[in-house]
């Protein structure tokens, strides 16, 4: 399917994408949609500031992690969101 094709193309350049690049957000949402493992530490370490899109993606990521039973990773993701709250 097209989502899988997009994922396969984007995963090849993942290391070259900055956290604020739109393709990085797209790749993260594809990983969530397709059920791939999410490198929470890698995502969190790249984020310097949080846009509303990033916030939504991190919220989706934490929900995905909770459903997968990855509670420690989910907590780290939620704490990252909270660290940018005013």
């Amino acid at each position: 399917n097209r989502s899988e094709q997009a994922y396969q193309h984007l995963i090849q350049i993942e290391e070259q994408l900055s956290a604020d690049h739109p393709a990085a957000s797209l790749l993260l949402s594809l990983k969530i949609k397709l059920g791939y493992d999410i490198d929470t530490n890698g995502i969190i370490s790249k984020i310097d500031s949080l846009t509303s899109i990033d916030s939504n993606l991190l919220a989706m990521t934490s929900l995905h992690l909770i459903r997968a039973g990855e509670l420690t990773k989910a907590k780290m993701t939620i704490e990252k969101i909270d660290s940018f709250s005013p």
Side-chain angles (χ1 to χ4, degrees), residues 55-70:
S55 179
N56 289 337
L57 280 173
L58 286 176
M60 282 180 25
T61 301
S62 63
L63 181 58
H64 171 77
L65 291 167
I66 290 169
R67 288 181 179 157
E70 299 281 350

Side-chain angles (χ1 to χ4, degrees), residues 36-57:
Y36 285 103
D37 188 39
I38 300 168
D39 176 17
T40 311
N41 292 333
I43 294 166
I44 290 174
S45 67
K46 286 184 178 180
I47 297 176
D48 296 329
S49 61
L50 205 58
T51 66
S52 61
I53 293 170
D54 295 331
S55 179
N56 289 337
L57 280 173

Side-chain angles (χ1 to χ4, degrees), residues 62-82:
S62 63
L63 181 58
H64 171 77
L65 291 167
I66 290 169
R67 288 181 179 157
E70 299 281 350
L71 300 180
T72 303
K73 289 181 180 180
K75 183 179 176 188
M76 287 173 37
T77 305
I78 293 167
E79 287 171 353
K80 185 66 173 184
I81 296 169
D82 287 343

